[in-house]
Amino acid sequence: MNAAIGPLFAGPPGAHGIPWLHVLPILVAVPAAALLLWGLLRGRLAPTVGALAVLLPIAVYALCGLLVLEDSKNVSFCGSCHVMTPIVASIQADNGSLAAIHYGRGLVPHEQACYVCHSGYGIWGTVGAKMDGVMHMLRTVAGRYEFPIKLRGPFDIDSCLGCHAYAPSFRAVEAHQSPDIQKALIAREMSCTGACHPAAHPDAALTGGKGAS
Amino acid sequence: MIRLACALGLVAIVMAVILVLRTDGASAIGFSFIGAPALGLALVIYGVSRWRAGAFRSNATRTREAGS
């Protein structure tokens, strides 16, 4: 995005204020670190100081927990691990994949494009996405993943329907009105991609950018 | 014991600060799998050291032990 165009195009409105989620943990971490350093050097802590030395680091972790819950929705966070880097690069390219079409046309928020489609719909979608995120970290640490990477289970098309279901253009499509197709989609026996719509991501991206095997 | 607890607490704080300064997959892994266990261990060690120092004993127990 050309920054010379103006501040309106620099990012979402929430990005222009003070980033409290980043500031608060640091503000609490400084006295916490000072107390812990004091305890490390002295080898003892008075009960009141000890209580603070317990509570402040817990507060830091609570605030950082909120930070990571929020910032892990960002595309840049998803793309920071080697497995996902080619996929994030592919959605930013003009390659005709469903994800690239949505991203390029601004049909999903640019900052949270991965999260919007992969978190599922509603609060349980968010909970599921966070649990999946922990498993992704474990698999990354253990190196327990295989190319091409695959989605675990069928894609939750409620993520698609959350935006498309009430759109007149979506409802007007003859295939979408077919009772058999509707039944198959709701039962997750078929997905939007494959038969009718292009694949969400190109094969090359799913194989770590090394080409489909 | 207190020194060990404080050292582990500092490790946890360092991991948290790295996460704040650069939120990405690597720092989140460090925060979750190094920092959080280090903080948990620090709290357990500190709690045990305080318990051994008699912090969680009631006044009645202390009086009884002092009398015997």
Side-chain angles (χ1 to χ4, degrees), chain A residues 22 25-26 29 32-33 36-37 39-45 47 50 54 57-58 60-61 64-65 67-68 71 77 80-81 137-138 140-141, chain B residues 2-7 9-13 15-17 19-21 23-26 28-36 39 43 46 50:
Chain A
H22 288 80
I26 295 290
L36 291 169
L37 203 57
L40 185 66
L41 295 174
R42 295 288 299 271
R44 63 186 171 82
L45 288 169
V54 167
I58 291 174
V60 171
Y61 264 66
C64 283
L67 169 74
V68 85
D71 278 13
F77 182 92
S80 66
C81 287
M137 289 199 293
L138 276 171
T140 301
V141 169
Chain B
I2 295 287
R3 280 204 167 96
L4 180 60
C6 287
L10 277 170
V11 169
I13 293 290
M15 287 296 159
V17 169
L19 176 81
V20 174
L21 296 179
T23 311
D24 60 13
I29 285 170
F31 173 78
S32 305
F33 301 133
I34 299 173
L39 180 63
L43 293 175
Y46 182 72
R50 294 285 297 139

Side-chain angles (χ1 to χ4, degrees), chain A residues 57-131:
Chain A
I58 291 174
V60 171
Y61 264 66
L63 290 167
C64 283
L66 291 176
L67 169 74
V68 85
L69 279 178
E70 189 57 30
D71 278 13
S72 60
K73 295 175 184 173
N74 290 345
V75 170
S76 57
F77 182 92
C78 302
S80 66
C81 287
H82 299 300
V83 185
M84 297 292 173
T85 304
I87 296 180
V88 168
S90 77
I91 68 168
Q92 292 163 342
D94 184 15
N95 53 31
S97 69
L98 204 59
I101 290 169
H102 279 77
Y103 188 84
R105 293 182 186 172
L107 302 175
V108 287
H110 265 210
E111 291 295 316
Q112 301 182 350
C114 311
Y115 183 79
V116 166
C117 293
H118 283 282
S119 64
Y121 193 68
I123 190 170
W124 294 114
T126 301
V127 171
K130 297 304 171 189
M131 289 170 67

Side-chain angles (χ1 to χ4, degrees), chain A:
Chain A
M1 188 64 68
N2 186 356
I5 293 173
L8 186 63
F9 302 105
H16 301 303
I18 296 170
W20 285 111
L21 265 179
H22 288 80
V23 172
L24 279 176
I26 295 290
L27 288 179
V28 183
V30 169
L35 288 177
L36 291 169
L37 203 57
W38 175 262
L40 185 66
L41 295 174
R42 295 288 299 271
R44 63 186 171 82
L45 288 169
T48 314
V49 179
L52 275 175
V54 167
L55 291 176
L56 288 177
I58 291 174
V60 171
Y61 264 66
L63 290 167
C64 283
L66 291 176
L67 169 74
V68 85
L69 279 178
E70 189 57 30
D71 278 13
S72 60
K73 295 175 184 173
N74 290 345
V75 170
S76 57
F77 182 92
C78 302
S80 66
C81 287
H82 299 300
V83 185
M84 297 292 173
T85 304
I87 296 180
V88 168
S90 77
I91 68 168
Q92 292 163 342
D94 184 15
N95 53 31
S97 69
L98 204 59
I101 290 169
H102 279 77
Y103 188 84
R105 293 182 186 172
L107 302 175
V108 287
H110 265 210
E111 291 295 316
Q112 301 182 350
C114 311
Y115 183 79
V116 166
C117 293
H118 283 282
S119 64
Y121 193 68
I123 190 170
W124 294 114
T126 301
V127 171
K130 297 304 171 189
M131 289 170 67
D132 286 346
V134 171
M135 293 310 294
H136 288 173
M137 289 199 293
L138 276 171
R139 283 179 176 274
T140 301
V141 169
R144 288 190 61 184
Y145 54 83
E146 291 172 1
F147 290 115
I149 58 168
K150 294 182 187 130
L151 198 64
R152 189 169 55 85
F155 183 77
D156 183 3
I157 63 160
D158 286 352
S159 294
C160 309
L161 295 174
C163 294
H164 289 284
Y166 299 102
S169 56
F170 174 83
R171 293 182 167 212
V173 175
E174 195 178 332
H176 295 163
Q177 294 170 2
S178 159
D180 289 339
I181 290 179
Q182 287 194 3
K183 206 170 159 185
L185 283 167
I186 296 298
R188 306 290 191 266
E189 287 164 1
M190 71 178 288
S191 182
C192 307
T193 60
C196 302
H197 296 284
H201 303 288
D203 287 343
L206 301 175
T207 53
K210 295 168 192 155
S213 59

